[in-house]
Amino acid sequence: MKKTLPNGVYIQPYMDKFPGNSRQAKLANVSREITKWSDAGVTGIAWHGFAGAGYGPWQMLGVDLFKELTALAKAQGMLSLAAYGLGSTKAQAKGEFIGKVGALPECDGILFDMEGAWENEPSDKPDAKKMGDAYRALAPDQWTCDQPWFAPAVHWSKFPWEETAAFVDERCPQVYCNNFIKQWGKDAYEKTWAWYMRDWVKLDKRLEAKNLVRPRRPTIQGYQWNNMADLVNCLTANPSVFVWSEPFPDTMFLHGLEIRKKLLDLGFSGADAVKKFQANWNATGGRPLTVDNQCGPNTISALNL
C-alpha cells in the first residue's frame, strides 16, 4: 500500500554539523534537541545526509545509521524520514542506495534534495530518471518528495522538473525567505513567498498537460527569521512544512513552534489563526489586542508564553 505523510512540522537537521567530539556525544546532543522538538509539537524528523560511499560517518546516511537515528525519533513519538543532498553524479548508484533506506519498514519518507547541481550537464535529465527508476524499484510504495529551489523560472529549462515529478509524491520547494533579508529587509518574507507562488503557478501549468502536477509542502529555514510575526504566520498558514536546520532550529524558531502549538491547542488554526485568537481574546474581556493577525509581544503575552 502506498505510504502517505501526515501534515505537521518536520525538522530537517544537517547531520554533518551535529556537535560533539564522539559518536556518543553527538547522539546525546541530538537526543536533547529531540526532546525540545517533541515538546514543541514537532511531528517528525528528516535526517539530512548523503548517499553512497566516500562520506564521513556523520555524512553517509545508510541503513544502519538511519535505524539508529530512527530509534531516537520513535522514542519521542516522532516519525523518521531520510533526506539526501544530491549531486548529479553516479545517479543510478545513489538511487539504489536511497532505495534501500526507503524500503525499511521504519522509514516514514524520503526527501531528494536536488537543486542547482542537476542542470549543469546534458545527461542530468536522463540521469534523474535513472536515479528515480533505481530508487522506485526498491521502494515503490514509500512517500517521496524532492526539494528544488523555490523559484522554478531561475532553473526553468535545464532542471529535470518532469523527470523528478515522475517518481515523487509531493514537492517541497526551499522557500528560503531569510536569504533575502539583506535585499528586502522586513518585506523579505512577503516578497519571497509571493515570488514562489507566482513561479509555481507557471510550472504547474507546464506540468499539467503531462499529468505531473504534484501537491506541495514548503521547506523553510529554522534560523535567522526577521521577526516573530512572519514566522508564526508562516507556521500557521502552512499545515505542513519541512524545516532546514544547520544543525538544529534556533531559539527564536523553537519559540515560534511553541506559539503555533499553543494556538492549535486552543483550537485556532489556518492562515488567520492569530487573528481568530485575538478576536476571541477581546470577546472574553481581556486587555484588548489589535486584531491584525500579527503575533506581536502583546499577543504572545496573552497566550501566556
Side-chain angles (χ1 to χ4, degrees):
M1 181 179 294
K2 189 74 172 178
K3 286 188 177 182
T4 59
L5 190 73
N7 285 337
V9 174
Y10 294 84
I11 305 299
Q12 186 174 345
Y14 184 31
M15 293 167 48
D16 191 40
K17 291 193 176 182
F18 283 179
N21 296 322
S22 67
R23 184 181 189 84
Q24 184 177 7
K26 288 180 183 292
L27 290 172
N29 285 326
V30 171
S31 295
R32 281 191 288 270
E33 293 298 320
I34 291 175
T35 300
K36 298 178 188 176
W37 305 343
S38 178
D39 292 343
V42 169
T43 303
I45 305 172
W47 310 100
H48 184 96
F50 298 94
Y55 294 100
W58 288 96
Q59 294 178 315
M60 186 177 71
L61 184 56
V63 167
D64 291 341
L65 181 56
F66 179 76
K67 286 183 175 180
E68 187 172 14
L69 294 170
T70 293
L72 298 178
K74 303 285 186 179
Q76 293 287 344
M78 287 187 281
L79 300 179
S80 183
L81 301 84
Y84 291 92
L86 293 168
S88 58
T89 61
K90 302 178 181 178
Q92 182 168 340
K94 288 177 179 176
E96 292 171 353
F97 183 97
I98 299 169
K100 291 175 182 177
V101 176
L104 295 172
E106 59 264 53
C107 180
D108 296 305
I110 293 288
L111 292 75
F112 284 76
D113 179 2
M114 44 190 296
E115 199 246 308
W118 286 86
E119 60 168 17
N120 299 324
E121 303 292 339
S123 61
D124 284 347
K125 290 188 177 184
D127 280 353
K129 183 180 186 306
K130 289 179 184 177
M131 182 172 66
D133 288 346
Y135 165 73
R136 282 303 189 187
L138 295 171
D141 297 324
Q142 183 60 266
W143 181 92
T144 304
C145 77
D146 69 331
Q147 291 180 298
W149 191 234
F150 75 94
V154 176
H155 308 293
W156 186 256
S157 61
K158 296 182 179 180
F159 187 82
W161 295 110
E162 284 82 0
E163 292 77 6
T164 306
F167 70 86
V168 302
D169 302 297
E170 296 187 32
R171 315 204 81 159
C172 301
Q174 300 166 334
V175 193
Y176 290 171
C177 57
N178 299 336
N179 289 6
F180 298 93
I181 289 175
K182 185 175 181 180
Q183 178 178 348
W184 287 326
K186 63 182 180 60
D187 298 323
Y189 168 68
E190 182 177 351
K191 288 188 174 182
T192 305
W193 215 264
W195 181 8
Y196 154 60
M197 296 300 291
R198 287 195 305 270
D199 266 25
W200 275 86
V201 167
K202 295 177 184 177
L203 180 62
D204 282 349
K205 185 176 181 180
R206 164 178 157 180
L207 298 177
E208 186 175 11
K210 304 171 185 177
N211 197 30
L212 291 174
V213 175
R214 300 289 180 260
R216 282 180 275 122
R217 67 176 89 198
T219 304
I220 63 176
Q221 292 154 299
Y223 50 86
Q224 295 180 348
W225 279 80
N226 212 11
N227 61 69
M228 185 60 76
D230 286 345
L231 172 56
V232 173
N233 282 348
C234 184
L235 290 173
T236 55
N238 294 285
S240 190
V241 293
F242 284 97
V243 183
W244 172 253
S245 308
E246 295 189 19
F248 308 134
D250 64 20
T251 301
M252 181 176 178
F253 194 91
L254 289 176
H255 191 33
L257 288 180
E258 291 172 347
I259 294 170
R260 168 190 171 273
K261 183 176 185 298
K262 186 66 176 287
L263 288 167
L264 288 174
D265 289 345
L266 293 172
F268 303 107
S269 61
D272 59 349
V274 174
K275 183 178 181 179
K276 288 185 288 191
F277 167 75
Q278 291 166 334
N280 182 75
W281 174 268
N282 289 350
T284 62
R287 179 183 176 185
L289 297 172
T290 302
V291 182
D292 57 3
N293 208 42
Q294 299 298 302
C295 195
N298 292 337
T299 298
I300 294 173
S301 179
L303 285 165
N304 198 29
L305 291 171

